[in-house]
Every structure is written in C-alpha cells, then in structure tokens.
Amino acid sequence: MKVLKSIFIFIFLFTVHCTLFTKLVSAAGEFLIDSKIEYKVSETGKTTVTHNINLENATTEYYATSYGLTLENIDAQNVRSYTVNGAQLTVNSEKQADKTNINITFPDAVVGKGKSRNFTVSYDNSSFTAKTGEVWEITIPKLFDEESYRNYEITLSVPYSFGQEAYISPSPKNRINESGFIIYEFNKEDLIKTGVTAAFGEFQVFSFTLNYHLENPLSKVAQTEIAIPPDTAFQKVYIRSLNPEPKNVVIDEDGNWLAIYELEPRQRLDVTASGEVQIFSGSRHFPKPTKEILDANLLATSYWQADDPEIKNLALKLKTPQAIYDFVSSTLKYDYERVRPNVERLGAINALKNPSSAICMEFTDLFIALSRAAGIPAREVNGYAYTENPEIQPLSLVSDVLHAWPEYWNEEKGAWIPVDPTWGSTTGGEDFFSKLDLRHFTFVNHGKSATLPYPPGSYKLGANPQKDVFVYFGKLSPEKTLTPNISAELKNEGLLINAIIDIKVKNPNTQALYNLELNTYFDDQEYFKKIIEILPPYGSYQENLSVPYSILGKDTPDKITVKVEGEKVEVITNKNQVIIFSLLIIFIIFITFLIVILIKLKWTKKLSEKFQKVREFIYLRIKGNQSI
C-alpha cells in the first residue's frame, strides 16, 4: 500500500487594498476534502480561525499521515489541533521569515477508500480584523482553487459590540444571532470570485485640512471661487473653519459647494478649510436633482464620448450599470506607471484602445460614457480614497494625487450611487458595485462639465507647489443647536413709492441646513412663503419683497415679521408717516380745490358786475338816442 505522508495547504495573505488571496496545493485525486472554516472575532479584534476538516480517502492506495498549512504574511498564534473526539494532535509550528509552516501529525492510520478523518486546526490572528477610525473592517481570504474541495464553507462570527452592519460582501446565505454574536454563513459558490469583506459601525469619520492658493492677476477687483467638500447622499460635511470667511457659499447644478471670494487687484490669498466628514455605507435622504440636471448627465463630452458608434454599440449590449461595471473592471488594466501628477487624461475612447494603460480616470470615463450611451445618467466624482496600496499611497501623501470614481443615477433609490470599477479591478474582483466601502470621500462632482469645478489640491501657485490636502481618521465634535441667522432691512422708503424689505438668511453653523421654511407676514397675514432646500455652511439666501404704498396706509402693514425655523425678526414700517403724508396730501388737495372754487366765485362776481355795468351803459345809450 502506498502512503502519502503529508498534505500541504498554502495560504497567502496579499495586502493590496485589504484583499486576501488563498492558494491550495494538495494531492489532487487521492483525497476528498470537506472544509468548514470558522472565523470568530473577539471584541478586541483578535480572530480565532478554526479549520474543521473532513479528509476522505478517494482510493485504497493512499492514506494521510500528516497535514500541513503554510501561512504567508499571517501571524498565527497559539496553534492547536484536535480530533473530532477532542484528543489533542501533535502540532509543529515553525516561522521562516514571513511564512509560518504548521504540520499536524496523525497518530494512527485511517485506511480504505471512503474512510474519513475528522479534525480541527485552530490559530489566533489579528490581521483579518482592524479598526479604522469609527469602523471595524474584516477581510477573509477568497477560495483560490475551488476544484480541490468537495465542499467548502465559511462562517464569520462578529460580536454585537461592533455595531450595526455597514456592509458585507458577498451576501451571506444565512444570518444567525447567538450568544452575543451574529454569525454569517457563506457557501463555496459565494467565495470563488472574492473573499468576504465586511464593515461594522454606523459611519466612518475623516478629519481634513485643505489649502487653496488664489491670485487675481488683473488690475481690477475680481471674484473667484473654490470648491469645498459638499454633502451628498453618502456623506455629511462639517466645516469647522473657512479662513478667511467667503462672501457667500453657493451650490451649483451638480451639488458642489462653491465659496466665493472677492480679490483686490494683484492680490494673492491663501484659504484654509478644515473640518470632518461622516461617510455612510448606505444612501440617506437627500434632495433630488431636477429632470433638467439628469438630462444634462446623459450628454456626450470630449472625455465621455457617449455618441461614439463603438461606445453606443457596447452600451446596447451591456444595458445595465452592473454589466457596465463588470465590463470596465475586467477589460481595463491599471497602469501604475501612469500614477503621477498632471498625467494626460485619455478619455473613454482611448481607454478602449489602450486597455492596459488605464488609471482611475479611464475606468471612470469609460463607465460614464457607456452609462450615458445606455440612457443612464452618470457623472464623475473626484475625491480622496483611503488605501493601503503601496503603489498609490506614497504619491497621494506627497503630491495630492486624488482618486476618481463614477456615480450613476438610481431612480428607484432616488440617489446617485457611487461605484468603483478601478478598485474592483485592482483588488482582483472585490465587489465595489453592490457596496462602496467607507473610505471614499467626495471633494467635487463632475456632471455638466467633465473638469469643473477643480477639486481641492488643484489651487496651486508656483513651479514647486506644496502638499495641500490632508485627510486622516477623526472623530466628530459635539454639535450645538442648529439655527440660522436672519436679518431684514427696509429700503427705498419713499412716501409715494413701494418700499423694499431686504431679507437675508445666513447659515453660521458647521453643517448644512435643509428645508428651511421662510415665512414673511405683513401684520398677522402671511404674505410670502419659501422653502430653502439647502443652505451650506457660510452660505446665505436673500429675498427682496415689495412693501406696498397705499393712500391712508390701507394696504401698508404696521410691521413685517420674518420667521425661519423658530427664529424671527420684526421690522416696523413707516405706515404712520404714510398716513400723515396721505392726510397732508388730502388736505392740500382740499385747500387747493377750495381756493380754486373761491377764486372762481370771486371772478364770477366781478364778471357779473362788469356785465351789469355794460348792460346799464347800453341801456342808457339806447334811451338817450330815443330822447333825441
């Protein structure tokens, strides 16, 4: 009888984008392997990994005398092995550089076709689970050689203390609540394409400091604007400081927050924005774009050639965002040599012609062009994406090289849905379509334009610009009650013309205010109502209303009351002056009319007297003639 002395299992941990890969090496055909691996995470983040193995002889010629595991880049602690009856097996664990070789020796022989040996191999490890900021992240190896297993299952046990499930991919076939843990079950089919990635926590928090360098080269006063990170359906921004303070912060059609500055002739100005951002795993309620804006996100541009015949033909075949994502992430290959500042942007068509020369811009541009050609509104996001990838991270830390990813409009969810085909490609197939991790921080949205507004990190002066983008894990500061500042001023208070009430609503808070109801009352009657859908930090809204002039102040209010979210301001009008002036005018008109009448009467009397004298004169003349 032939004896196979050992079976070796090789597990390799590859830490690009937190993705784990496994590779199995065994005597294929001589044994049938059923493996159920349990990953049990403690509250401290340490993971206990237990391989429950059923080793069945496939022939009468071979039986196993030992079983081996080789772990690379995995620090296996407290390695142990037991039979199904609880008997301890002999374990030899040896470290060599970044590898750990584990060998389990069997004390007896299990001989005969169909005979099985059941045993467990366990070890502790801290690399599968990590807390980044406010979020616990878990990554479990993918199944690399599925043909070597007859059956393969994974369970992941996560303590309740980790918080709510932010995302988990692939979707588990079952969830079980048991003794303070939630247990996720996955089968072999779930793990062929990708391992398990999961995150727990309500949200992630990043702190940021962004520097902008502005210059007015003109000999006259000029306005300029900078883009500061905006709220989206997946993030909420807290602007703790914007120094110096802008004239206003406005919102463009793509939802960008633009801070407006006025620069004197030849003036240079450095602006610093700092704060925190909450990044959510799922979309929250957020104002929806208009039909006109969505239609604009279907148009072709110089980089998004949605009207190109090749793009249109591909879009007809792919049709859905999922199919487009799969095509882009599998067709294009990331070219690390092109990751540098000011690299030339290829656009969608050239990305198709040069699929091996893509970076995040090309993955994004091709997804957008195909989506728009398929009738799906899509746009680009420029921002910061936290990654451990050693090919990208060092450059992003010193040169403000940002990341780009696309969003498509999901009518059912009523939201722009971010996806990342670049990371889907570079992680070997990890799913960045069904979920986006809590590491993508939006700086600007590009929909109407493929290039504007410029993101933070682009506002530089001089030949050797310094680093201006600083992002790191942070914590939220306590928030005060959010209230707007309101002011109202009466202008053009003429006595014969309508006055103007100038109303201003300003947001002095660190975060945006939503659905503010502005009510204006003339005395106790509502005169004007307006819903301010969104007011960003440092932003203001202005409304000018006409205050009617009327005779005796009939339609002129005594006071004007402006209310916004419980705050109010009152303005006393010049109604008394209007009444007095009206009475004065009436009096003047009356006196004038009276004088006219008196004058008319006086002249009438004089004319009557003159007429009488003329009559008498004529009478006397006639009478004198008769006497002669």
Side-chain angles (χ1 to χ4, degrees):
M1 179 178 292
K2 297 180 181 179
V3 177
L4 180 67
K5 292 185 177 180
S6 60
I7 296 173
F8 292 98
I9 303 294
F10 179 76
I11 299 179
F12 175 59
L13 176 62
F14 183 47
T15 58
V16 172
H17 293 301
C18 294
T19 301
L20 302 172
F21 299 91
T22 66
K23 183 179 181 182
L24 174 66
V25 179
S26 67
E30 285 92 11
F31 296 92
L32 300 175
I33 304 176
D34 300 321
S35 180
K36 183 175 182 179
I37 306 178
E38 300 175 357
Y39 292 82
K40 188 170 185 177
V41 183
S42 71
E43 292 187 348
T44 63
K46 183 179 74 173
T47 303
T48 298
V49 184
T50 302
H51 295 249
N52 298 284
I53 300 168
N54 177 61
L55 196 60
E56 181 180 325
N57 299 333
T59 71
T60 58
E61 298 177 330
Y62 295 94
Y63 67 91
T65 60
S66 65
Y67 184 88
L69 281 173
T70 296
L71 310 177
E72 186 166 340
N73 292 329
I74 298 177
D75 184 19
Q77 300 290 328
N78 189 26
V79 182
R80 60 269 186 200
S81 182
Y82 299 91
T83 68
V84 69
N85 296 320
Q88 188 168 357
L89 296 174
T90 301
V91 177
N92 180 36
S93 179
E94 183 181 50
K95 288 187 177 180
Q96 294 180 348
D98 57 354
K99 293 182 181 180
T100 301
N101 297 311
I102 301 171
N103 189 72
I104 298 96
T105 303
F106 302 133
D108 56 350
V110 176
V111 182
K113 182 178 180 180
K115 296 295 183 178
S116 298
R117 182 188 299 277
N118 294 300
F119 63 99
T120 65
V121 183
S122 298
Y123 60 89
D124 300 327
N125 177 266
S126 299
S127 64
F128 296 118
T129 303
K131 189 171 186 181
T132 54
E134 300 292 315
V135 175
W136 283 100
E137 295 181 325
I138 302 172
T139 311
I140 294 175
K142 67 179 286 188
L143 177 58
F144 209 83
D145 188 0
E146 67 274 11
E147 295 180 357
S148 297
Y149 293 96
R150 179 171 60 183
N151 295 300
Y152 184 89
E153 294 181 0
I154 279 181
T155 63
L156 169 64
S157 299
V158 180
Y160 290 159
S161 61
F162 275 24
Q164 70 181 38
E165 176 189 315
Y167 64 80
I168 187 162
S169 178
S171 180
K173 68 176 183 180
N174 198 16
R175 290 175 171 86
I176 302 171
N177 293 303
E178 185 178 289
S179 303
F181 287 81
I182 182 167
I183 302 173
Y184 299 89
E185 296 181 345
F186 305 88
N187 55 30
K188 181 178 178 180
E189 289 71 25
D190 296 328
L191 304 169
I192 291 175
K193 291 184 177 181
T194 181
V196 176
T197 56
F200 296 85
E202 294 183 11
F203 50 80
Q204 182 61 278
V205 177
F206 286 104
S207 294
F208 61 86
T209 299
L210 309 171
N211 297 317
Y212 306 77
H213 309 287
L214 309 179
E215 181 180 20
N216 177 15
L218 305 177
S219 57
K220 60 181 180 180
V221 175
Q223 277 195 355
T224 188
E225 60 191 26
I226 62 173
I228 60 176
D231 280 0
T232 72
F234 287 83
Q235 74 179 34
K236 186 171 183 60
V237 175
Y238 303 80
I239 303 294
R240 303 294 178 190
S241 173
L242 190 52
N243 185 32
E245 186 172 327
K247 288 188 63 177
N248 197 5
V249 175
V250 299
I251 304 176
D252 70 7
E253 293 179 350
D254 292 318
N256 296 298
W257 292 359
L258 305 177
I260 299 174
Y261 287 89
E262 191 171 89
L263 273 62
E264 297 297 323
R266 314 296 182 188
Q267 181 186 2
R268 284 192 173 191
L269 180 67
D270 292 331
V271 179
T272 299
S274 61
E276 295 92 40
V277 58
Q278 270 181 299
I279 300 177
F280 304 94
S281 61
S283 62
R284 62 195 181 100
H285 179 72
F286 196 73
K288 296 181 180 180
T290 64
K291 183 180 182 302
E292 290 73 20
I293 292 175
L294 291 177
D295 288 344
N297 283 268
L298 290 170
L299 301 177
T301 73
S302 57
Y303 294 112
W304 307 325
Q305 300 96 337
D307 54 357
D308 181 85
E310 186 175 358
I311 294 289
K312 292 171 71 174
N313 288 335
L314 270 173
L316 286 173
K317 297 175 183 177
L318 298 171
K319 297 181 181 178
T320 68
Q322 173 77 73
I324 294 170
Y325 169 91
D326 291 340
F327 173 83
V328 173
S329 60
S330 62
T331 301
L332 301 186
K333 305 302 177 186
Y334 199 88
D335 184 359
Y336 290 95
E337 296 297 322
R338 291 186 62 231
V339 182
R340 59 182 182 273
N342 303 317
V343 64
E344 180 185 0
R345 185 175 181 176
L346 301 181
I349 289 296
N350 286 330
L352 277 177
K353 294 177 180 178
N354 303 277
S356 297
S357 298
I359 57 175
C360 60
M361 289 187 298
E362 283 71 45
F363 282 88
T364 299
D365 288 345
L366 184 55
F367 180 93
I368 293 172
L370 289 170
S371 296
R372 291 189 174 195
I376 304 165
R379 66 183 187 180
E380 177 196 47
V381 178
N382 273 184
Y384 180 93
Y386 177 81
T387 175
E388 291 89 359
N389 188 335
E391 299 286 347
I392 297 176
Q393 189 184 53
L395 191 59
S396 68
L397 291 177
V398 300
S399 300
D400 294 336
V401 174
L402 302 180
H403 188 46
W405 62 92
E407 292 182 331
Y408 71 92
W409 177 253
N410 186 306
E411 186 63 36
E412 182 179 349
K413 294 182 179 180
W416 289 104
I417 305 299
V419 298
D420 196 338
T422 308
W423 281 20
S425 174
T426 57
T427 57
E430 188 175 337
D431 181 14
F432 285 95
F433 179 84
S434 302
K435 56 85 186 176
L436 197 62
D437 61 14
L438 298 169
R439 298 175 172 218
H440 287 65
F441 175 15
T442 296
F443 282 178
V444 294
N445 302 307
H446 290 157
K448 185 177 180 179
S449 167
T451 56
L452 298 176
Y454 297 120
S458 304
Y459 302 80
K460 299 181 182 296
L461 299 174
N464 298 302
Q466 68 272 35
K467 178 172 170 57
D468 292 318
V469 174
F470 303 89
V471 181
Y472 41 92
F473 291 113
K475 290 184 177 293
L476 291 179
S477 303
E479 285 298 318
K480 299 178 182 179
T481 303
L482 302 177
T483 56
N485 289 341
I486 54 176
S487 63
E489 182 182 0
L490 207 59
K491 295 182 176 180
N492 300 336
E493 295 183 79
L495 293 176
L496 294 175
I497 60 174
N498 291 349
I500 299 295
I501 182 74
D502 182 15
I503 300 169
K504 291 183 180 179
V505 182
K506 186 174 178 62
N507 182 6
N509 303 283
T510 60
Q511 58 183 289
L513 299 176
Y514 290 89
N515 297 317
L516 299 177
E517 186 174 293
L518 168 63
N519 296 97
T520 304
Y521 298 87
F522 284 6
D523 293 330
D524 295 326
Q525 299 296 317
E526 185 176 79
Y527 179 77
F528 177 80
K529 181 178 180 179
K530 172 75 175 181
I531 300 297
I532 305 172
E533 194 170 46
I534 177 171
L535 194 62
Y538 295 90
S540 60
Y541 173 85
Q542 186 170 357
E543 189 73 49
N544 292 323
L545 302 177
S546 177
V547 182
Y549 168 84
S550 58
I551 300 298
L552 296 177
K554 178 177 178 296
D555 297 321
T556 305
D558 283 309
K559 67 177 180 179
I560 300 171
T561 304
V562 180
K563 294 182 178 180
V564 182
E565 298 298 305
E567 300 294 308
K568 73 174 183 178
V569 63
E570 293 182 347
V571 176
I572 303 301
T573 69
N574 61 345
K575 182 174 181 177
N576 290 336
Q577 295 178 7
V578 170
I579 293 174
I580 293 172
F581 189 72
S582 297
L583 291 173
L584 181 61
I585 290 177
I586 292 172
F587 177 75
I588 291 172
I589 292 173
F590 174 76
I591 294 299
T592 302
F593 181 72
L594 182 60
I595 291 172
V596 169
I597 292 176
L598 290 176
I599 292 174
K600 185 177 180 181
L601 289 174
K602 183 177 180 180
W603 277 102
T604 302
K605 183 178 180 181
K606 287 182 178 181
L607 288 174
S608 177
E609 289 176 351
K610 287 183 178 181
F611 181 70
Q612 182 65 29
K613 288 180 179 180
V614 170
R615 287 180 61 190
E616 289 177 357
F617 175 77
I618 295 172
Y619 174 76
L620 290 175
R621 291 293 301 267
I622 294 173
K623 187 175 181 181
N625 289 335
Q626 290 176 351
S627 299
I628 295 173

